[in-house]
């Protein structure tokens, strides 16, 4: 026997040796009912059947251990191969029981387990009772496992032995797969269709201490190790079909297990389990990006796809194949992307240098994110970076790569990527623009530029900025700086608008006019920088809202309500107000900026300016009390909502909808004014938009003040009930006057 081992079959091995699975081995797991094991089991049985039926060959690789003499009998103790040998034992037992060849079946008594007493006893009884179980083997309606459990010799306690349970499930699978294979027992006995390379460690000069050390390999493969094994097969297959460059295929496995790993170890904190998860997440999201790129029909939602995307345990290569998420193209993308970044990481000489590698943060974010934790934005940006790098086969020009990532970063952050359809369209747009990786700004600035997949107004903003960047380096610097604002994150169309720039006039401006517009842009930018940080307003939100409201109704719709705006929200934030789609309401914001002193933008001075704006206000419509009085906006809840009925009734909404407790605006104004005059007042809120909200006590007296629709003329008026008398008034001022007289 040479170092490559002796080719043997299970039948030849068990006729030459007794086989004893040692106590230090793990349980038999190939029959367990887990996703990873189910796939491995079915693939193995399928390969075995194919080899037997087609008179082919299946090499099960090396099986090695040590042989020793026990009472004159040669006993083989496997180190590696326990799982495969046990499956072969069960397949042979089934074939002999099916063929009524009980004498051959009894040879299988030479196979035993020492891991647990129950495992050993089960195998002994299984072989000994082969003849009694023959009917269960050939009965197409009955599971072998059910019949065995019903046998008198089967101990109930054996059901708690994971090896026994695994064997029973495997026997059922074997029956399903092999019951119709003709002459199965003969082929297994005399054929060499299923073989392995047998190695005796003693012949190789290996000592017992090495045996014990090597036995640590007995643990099951991790999910990622199983995935890699399948992936390597697919890489070879793709290369053989001409779908993948042969050089990439030859280097793929070595790179994946070699130099590419350094990147992921940086993020794992030396935890092997984390390493596997990060590496797998990277592959997972790249493959799903490829799926998105190839979709012909775009759906808003798909439960099956979303569930597959967001799973956090065990990834099967077949699953990606089934969904069309893997092909030669994505293998190239993976190869060039990981090769590019691994070279960049190797060249970096410090963690600071690594953090400056363009695009690496997107790979890191998706690698760290399992399941639903990976946002559509993150996945779209991963698609952007892989598209650029793969397009030019792992070569990246810092300038054009920076432009590419900056533009798509702005588009992804400031577009609504809410559903599967948004995600697919964004990924497909990136793929469609891949020919402009090296000239993206020139394409954006050209009249031929046309694409979708992202928010149209953000696309137009990127086009206008491209024109300015290409025309003037000072404008380029100003734009790059403005885009870094942590709150507006690349959405600066409002600043360009305030500087009176748009796609229609920018080409007509001469250099001097453009410089004047730049000064205006910088002035507004300075004021915005003073007003906002990464969370939102730096000044008092109530004060600022009242100042803007004095200029006009800037509120944005939210469900059936309107909001005075909050710091962070997709629909009702100050950032949302700055969009071009809200240009009319945005002008009220600009009017406040125009009144701020650009020479003194301290918080204290801004507050002073806001106070003066409020005090000068002459608003006399529904806004007047919100502008002039403190304490009202505080009652509008976290989302700062009001609800206005078709008839004009205004409610201060405490929750996200009117279903919670609400306050009627005008009666609450009266309540606050009474408190300001030193009178006591008790207010009673109510639920829902039709609830009754009113003042129910003033100065300890049972005085009710309500705002109701008059039955006679349908006009909204104040109704005052006191001492069995009812009175109506038209205005807040008249109500206060009357109450003070009581």
């Amino acid at each position: 026997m040479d170092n490559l081992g002796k080719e043997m079959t299970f039948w030849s091995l068990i006729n030459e040796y007794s086989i004893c699975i040692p106590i230090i081995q793990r349980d038999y797991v190939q029959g367990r009912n887990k996703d990873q094991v189910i796939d491995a089991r079915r693939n193995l049985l399928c390969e075995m059947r194919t080899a037997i039926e087609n008179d082919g060959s299946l090499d099960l690789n090396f099986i090695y251990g040590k042989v020793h003499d026990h009472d004159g009998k040669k006993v083989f103790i496997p180190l590696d191969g326990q799982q495969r040998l046990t499956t072969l034992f069960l397949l042979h037992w089934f074939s002999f029981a099916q063929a009524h060849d009980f004498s051959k079946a009894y040879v299988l008594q030479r196979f035993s387990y020492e891991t647990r007493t129950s495992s050993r006893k089960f195998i002994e009884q299984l072989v000994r009772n082969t003849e009694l179980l023959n009917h269960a083997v050939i009965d197409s309606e009955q599971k072998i496992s059910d019949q065995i459990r019903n046998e008198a010799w089967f101990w109930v306690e054996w059901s708690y032995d994971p090896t026994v349970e695994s064997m029973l499930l495997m026997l059922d699978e074997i029956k399903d797969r092999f019951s119709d294979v003709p002459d199965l027992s003969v082929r297994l006995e005399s054929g060499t269709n299923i073989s392995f390379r047998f190695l005796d460690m003693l012949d190789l000069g290996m000592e017992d201490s090495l045996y014990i050390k090597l036995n640590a390999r007995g643990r099951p493969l991790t999910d990622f190790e199983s995935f890699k094994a399948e992936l390597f097969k697919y890489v070879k297959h793709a290369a053989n079909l001409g779908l993948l460059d042969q050089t990439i295929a030859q280097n793929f496995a070595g790179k994946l297990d070699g130099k590419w790993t350094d990147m992921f170890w940086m993020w794992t904190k030396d935890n092997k389990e984390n390493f596997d998860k990060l590496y797998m997440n990277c592959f997972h999201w790249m493959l799903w990006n490829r799926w998105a790129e190839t979709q012909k029909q775009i759906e808003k939602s798909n439960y099956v796809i979303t569930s597959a995307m967001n799973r956090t345990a065990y990834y099967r290569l077949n699953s990606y194949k089934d969904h069309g998420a893997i092909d030669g193209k994505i293998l190239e993308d993976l190869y060039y992307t990981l090769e590019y970044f691994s070279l960049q990481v190797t060249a970096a000489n410090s963690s600071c240098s690594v953090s400056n590698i363009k695009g690496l943060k997107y790979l890191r974010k998706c690698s760290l994110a399992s399941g639903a934790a990976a946002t559509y934005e993150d996945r779209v940006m991963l698609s952007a970076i892989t598209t650029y790098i793969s397009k030019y086969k792992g070569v990246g020009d810092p300038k054009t790569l920076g432009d590419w990532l900056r533009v798509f970063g702005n588009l992804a952050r400031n577009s609504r990527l809410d559903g599967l359809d948004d995600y697919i369209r964004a990924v497909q747009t990136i793929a469609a623009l891949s020919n402009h990786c090296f000239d993206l700004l020139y394409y954006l600035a050209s009249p031929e530029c046309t694409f979708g997949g992202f928010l149209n107004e953000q696309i137009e903003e990127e086009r206008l900025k491209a024109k300015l960047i290409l025309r003037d380096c000072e404008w380029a610097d100003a734009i790059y700086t403005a885009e870094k604002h942590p709150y507006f994150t690349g959405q600066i169309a409002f600043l360009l608008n305030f500087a009176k720039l748009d796609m229609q006039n920018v080409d007509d401006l001469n250099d001097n006019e453009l410089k004047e517009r730049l000064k205006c842009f910088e002035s507004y930018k300075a004021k915005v920088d003073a007003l906002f940080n990464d969370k939102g307003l730096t000044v008092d939100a109530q004060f600022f809202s009242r100042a803007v409201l004095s200029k006009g109704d800037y509120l944005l719709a939210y469900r059936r309500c309107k909001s005075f705006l909050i710091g962070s929200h997709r629909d009702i934030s100050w950032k949302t107000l700055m969009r071009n789609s809200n240009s009319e309401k945005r002008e009220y914001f600009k009017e406040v900026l125009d009144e701020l002193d650009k020479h003194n933008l301290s918080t204290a001075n801004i507050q002073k300016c806001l106070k003066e704006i409020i005090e000068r206000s002459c608003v006399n419509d529904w806004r007047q009390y919100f502008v002039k009085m403190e304490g009202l906006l505080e009652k509008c809840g976290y989302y700062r909502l009001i609800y206005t009925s078709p008839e004009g009734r205004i409610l201060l909404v405490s929750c996200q909808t009117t279903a919670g407790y609400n306050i009627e605006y005008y009666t609450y104004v009266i309540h606050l004014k009474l408190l300001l005059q030193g009178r006591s007042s008790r207010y009673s809120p109510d639920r829902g938009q039709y609830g009754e909200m009113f003042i129910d006590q003033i100065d300890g007296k049972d005085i009710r003040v309500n705002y109701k629709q008059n039955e006679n003329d349908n006009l909204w008026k104040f109704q005052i009930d006191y001492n069995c008398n009812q009175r109506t008034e038209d205005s807040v001022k008249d109500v206060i006057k009357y109450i003070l007289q009581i």
Side-chain angles (χ1 to χ4, degrees):
M1 179 170 59
D2 60 26
N3 286 343
L4 293 178
K6 175 184 177 182
E7 184 176 2
M8 299 187 77
T9 65
F10 178 82
W11 188 242
S12 63
L13 179 69
I14 203 166
N15 275 279
E16 187 171 344
Y17 306 102
S18 293
I19 303 171
C20 181
I21 307 300
I23 195 169
I24 62 173
Q25 282 282 21
R26 63 190 174 117
D27 293 312
Y28 177 58
V29 299
Q30 285 190 349
R32 288 185 179 175
N33 201 17
K34 294 183 177 180
D35 286 348
Q36 179 180 1
V37 180
I38 289 171
D39 280 344
R41 174 172 67 245
R42 290 176 179 172
N43 287 340
L44 176 60
L45 294 180
C46 182
E47 289 176 352
M48 286 180 171
R49 175 174 177 139
T50 300
I52 293 170
E53 277 192 313
N54 301 330
D55 198 25
S57 62
L58 176 62
D59 182 4
L60 296 180
N61 217 323
F62 291 101
I63 288 179
Y64 56 89
K66 65 177 183 177
V67 176
H68 70 88
D69 187 83
H70 181 72
D71 294 335
K73 298 179 181 178
K74 290 191 293 182
V75 179
F76 172 61
I77 301 175
L79 160 63
D80 188 66
Q82 165 214 358
Q83 304 293 321
R84 286 164 287 162
L85 287 172
T86 305
T87 298
L88 289 169
F89 158 76
L90 295 171
L91 179 61
H92 281 71
W93 178 86
F94 171 83
S95 71
F96 295 141
Q98 183 189 47
H100 296 257
D101 198 343
F102 305 122
S103 61
K104 297 279 180 27
Y106 296 144
V107 174
L108 298 178
Q109 293 180 92
R110 296 164 65 88
F111 184 87
S112 66
Y113 257 67
E114 294 297 325
T115 56
R116 300 174 192 263
T117 302
S118 53
S119 302
R120 183 177 72 254
K121 292 292 185 183
F122 170 74
I123 291 171
E124 290 174 358
Q125 291 297 323
L126 179 69
V127 175
R128 188 174 298 166
N129 291 282
T130 303
E131 188 171 354
L132 293 175
L133 291 168
N134 169 256
H135 64 282
V137 171
I138 62 176
D139 185 349
S140 61
E141 300 299 323
Q142 189 174 19
K143 285 187 175 182
I144 298 177
S145 59
D146 290 341
Q147 181 59 39
I148 290 174
R149 289 190 180 95
N150 290 330
E151 291 294 319
W153 53 264
F154 185 84
W155 288 58
V156 176
E157 290 81 359
W158 292 353
S159 296
Y160 300 105
D161 182 335
T163 290
V164 173
E165 282 299 294
S166 193
M167 287 183 178
L168 290 173
L169 198 152
M170 177 60 88
L171 283 171
D172 289 337
E173 288 264 4
I174 288 173
K175 179 178 178 179
D176 289 342
R177 296 271 179 172
F178 290 90
S179 59
D180 61 344
V181 176
D183 302 322
L184 178 61
S185 63
V186 175
R187 297 186 185 196
L188 289 173
E189 178 188 351
S190 59
T192 58
N193 304 110
I194 303 172
S195 63
F196 47 80
R197 308 295 293 182
F198 173 76
L199 286 170
D200 180 358
M201 292 173 59
L202 294 181
D203 289 344
L204 296 174
M206 296 183 181
E207 300 178 355
D208 285 355
S209 60
L210 182 59
Y211 172 87
I212 294 171
K213 291 177 183 176
L214 287 174
N215 197 59
R217 292 187 70 246
R219 59 174 172 76
L221 293 176
T222 65
D223 290 350
F224 184 55
E225 288 167 339
S226 297
F227 175 83
K228 283 196 300 182
E230 294 175 343
L231 180 64
F232 293 156
K233 288 181 182 178
Y234 185 84
V235 167
K236 292 180 181 178
H237 176 69
N240 290 336
L241 293 178
L243 303 175
L244 183 65
D245 182 81
Q246 287 288 347
T247 302
I248 291 177
Q250 292 166 7
N251 293 331
F252 202 96
K255 300 275 190 183
L256 195 149
D257 282 329
K259 63 188 292 188
W260 295 348
T261 62
D262 291 344
M263 260 188 317
F264 297 95
W265 275 115
M266 286 191 308
W267 306 325
T268 59
K269 300 180 180 178
D270 298 327
N271 184 310
K272 175 62 167 67
E273 183 178 350
N274 286 344
F275 172 80
D276 281 2
K277 285 181 180 178
L278 264 64
Y279 223 155
M280 187 64 239
N281 287 342
C282 170
F283 278 76
H284 179 72
W285 294 122
M286 285 195 190
L287 291 173
W288 277 113
N289 278 349
R290 178 57 179 162
W291 170 86
E293 186 181 333
T294 59
Q295 292 309 290
K296 298 270 192 295
Q297 294 182 329
I298 299 178
E299 298 177 278
K300 176 70 176 175
S301 62
N302 184 311
Y303 176 77
V304 173
I305 293 297
T306 304
S307 297
M309 282 183 176
N310 293 344
R311 68 181 302 158
T312 57
Y314 180 52
Y315 307 90
R316 302 174 301 138
L317 191 72
N318 282 342
S319 175
Y320 298 104
K321 288 181 184 176
D322 293 343
H323 292 298
I326 185 166
D327 56 15
K329 169 67 168 57
I330 189 56
L331 293 177
E332 281 193 2
D333 291 352
L334 281 161
Y335 181 87
Y336 287 125
T337 300
L338 296 180
E339 181 69 1
Y340 172 81
F341 281 122
S342 67
L343 291 172
Q344 295 291 315
V345 169
T346 301
N349 55 17
S350 67
S351 59
C352 179
S353 299
V354 169
S355 65
N356 289 330
I357 297 173
K358 283 185 172 64
L360 183 61
K361 67 178 180 181
Y362 302 117
L363 182 69
R364 181 179 183 273
K365 287 179 77 172
C366 284
S367 297
L368 289 171
S370 296
T375 66
Y376 284 133
E377 179 189 327
D378 293 338
R379 296 184 233 172
V380 166
M381 289 312 297
L382 179 64
S383 176
I385 189 64
T386 56
T387 297
Y388 179 96
I389 293 172
S390 184
K391 181 68 177 179
Y392 294 98
K393 302 189 183 304
V395 177
D397 168 60
K399 175 64 173 67
T400 56
L401 176 58
D403 291 336
W404 179 265
L405 293 178
R406 182 187 62 79
V407 169
F408 282 110
N410 292 339
L411 291 171
R413 277 190 300 272
N414 298 307
S415 297
R416 292 188 175 182
L417 302 176
D418 295 333
L420 199 61
D421 55 338
D422 298 324
Y423 161 62
I424 293 171
R425 277 191 282 267
V427 170
Q428 291 185 352
T429 295
I430 291 170
L433 293 176
S434 61
N435 288 333
H436 296 289
C437 285
F438 273 23
D439 67 348
L440 182 61
L441 293 186
Y442 290 95
Y443 176 68
L444 289 172
S446 71
E448 293 79 23
C449 176
T450 175
F451 64 92
F454 297 94
L455 190 69
N456 284 334
E457 61 186 80
Q458 190 64 39
I459 293 173
E460 289 305 298
E461 176 183 328
E462 297 308 318
R463 295 193 64 204
L464 176 56
K465 288 187 292 190
K467 283 179 174 286
L468 292 167
I469 289 169
L470 292 173
R471 181 168 170 182
D472 188 291
C473 60
E474 289 186 6
W475 261 109
D477 290 341
I479 289 170
Y480 295 151
T481 302
E483 286 184 340
K484 292 176 182 176
H485 194 288
Y487 184 69
F488 294 100
T489 58
Q491 179 196 302
I492 61 168
F494 68 99
L495 291 176
L496 298 170
N497 177 267
F498 292 171
K500 298 181 180 178
L501 284 165
D502 56 46
M503 287 293 289
Q504 285 67 46
N505 69 13
V506 65
D507 292 329
D508 297 330
L509 298 173
N510 61 41
D511 290 346
N512 289 333
E513 290 172 326
L514 205 58
K515 288 187 182 301
E516 288 302 313
R517 303 294 171 91
L518 178 58
K519 291 178 183 178
C520 184
F521 176 90
E522 294 280 20
S523 175
Y524 281 113
K525 176 187 171 298
K527 293 177 180 180
V528 168
D529 287 346
L531 281 170
F532 292 91
N533 58 20
D534 60 327
K535 300 285 193 307
L537 286 167
T538 58
V539 296
D540 182 84
Q542 316 293 1
F543 228 53
F544 188 76
S545 296
R546 290 163 61 199
V548 179
L549 189 64
S550 73
K551 303 299 181 182
D553 179 4
Y554 74 91
L555 281 66
L556 297 180
Y558 182 67
R559 299 177 179 174
R560 299 172 62 208
C561 302
K562 295 194 296 183
S563 173
F564 288 99
L565 308 187
I566 58 177
S568 178
H569 194 280
R570 188 192 68 177
D571 299 320
I572 50 172
S573 68
W574 292 100
K575 181 179 178 181
T576 307
L577 179 67
M578 295 303 108
R579 288 181 178 158
N580 285 340
S581 55
N582 296 313
S583 58
E584 183 178 340
K585 291 177 177 290
R586 187 175 64 189
E587 281 300 306
Y588 305 133
F589 174 88
K590 177 178 177 293
E591 288 180 34
V592 171
L593 294 190
D594 288 337
E595 293 191 38
L596 298 183
D597 182 0
K598 65 180 181 180
H599 301 295
N600 186 353
L601 293 172
S602 66
T603 301
N605 196 58
I606 290 175
Q607 292 277 122
K608 178 174 173 289
C609 290
L610 296 176
K611 183 178 180 181
E612 291 171 354
I613 292 171
I614 292 169
E615 289 174 347
R616 290 196 301 268
S617 172
C618 298
V619 175
N620 58 8
D621 58 17
W622 67 268
R623 296 172 289 146
Q624 61 177 312
Y625 299 115
F626 282 117
V627 173
K628 292 295 186 179
M629 293 184 66
E630 295 183 13
L632 285 169
L633 292 181
E634 295 170 0
K635 293 298 179 179
C636 294
Y638 174 79
Y639 292 93
R640 309 181 76 210
L641 300 176
I642 61 171
Y643 168 77
T644 304
S645 72
E647 301 82 14
R649 188 188 192 203
I650 299 173
L651 304 183
L652 313 187
V653 180
S654 62
C655 304
Q656 286 195 61
T657 69
T658 56
Y661 279 101
N662 307 308
I663 292 171
E664 195 282 316
Y665 174 42
Y666 293 111
T667 51
Y668 197 73
V669 167
I670 295 169
H671 167 72
L672 290 181
K673 283 183 173 291
L674 289 171
L675 295 178
L676 288 172
Q677 294 190 36
R679 310 295 289 270
S680 67
S681 175
R682 188 173 70 187
Y683 195 88
S684 176
D686 200 1
R687 289 181 179 275
Q689 68 191 67
Y690 301 111
E692 287 202 48
M693 306 124 198
F694 49 83
I695 297 171
D696 64 0
Q697 193 177 87
I698 299 172
D699 293 337
K701 300 175 184 177
D702 292 332
I703 302 174
R704 174 180 286 202
V705 181
N706 211 332
Y707 190 58
K708 303 182 74 173
Q709 199 167 20
N710 191 285
E711 294 179 358
N712 296 323
D713 54 15
N714 288 327
L715 297 177
W716 284 82
K717 295 185 178 183
F718 295 98
Q719 180 177 299
I720 307 165
D721 294 289
Y722 172 61
N723 204 16
C724 298
N725 293 316
Q726 189 175 91
R727 181 186 179 95
T728 59
E729 296 289 354
D730 294 326
S731 68
V732 169
K733 182 178 179 181
D734 291 338
V735 173
I736 296 289
K737 181 179 179 181
Y738 172 72
I739 289 174
L740 293 178
Q741 293 173 354
I742 295 176

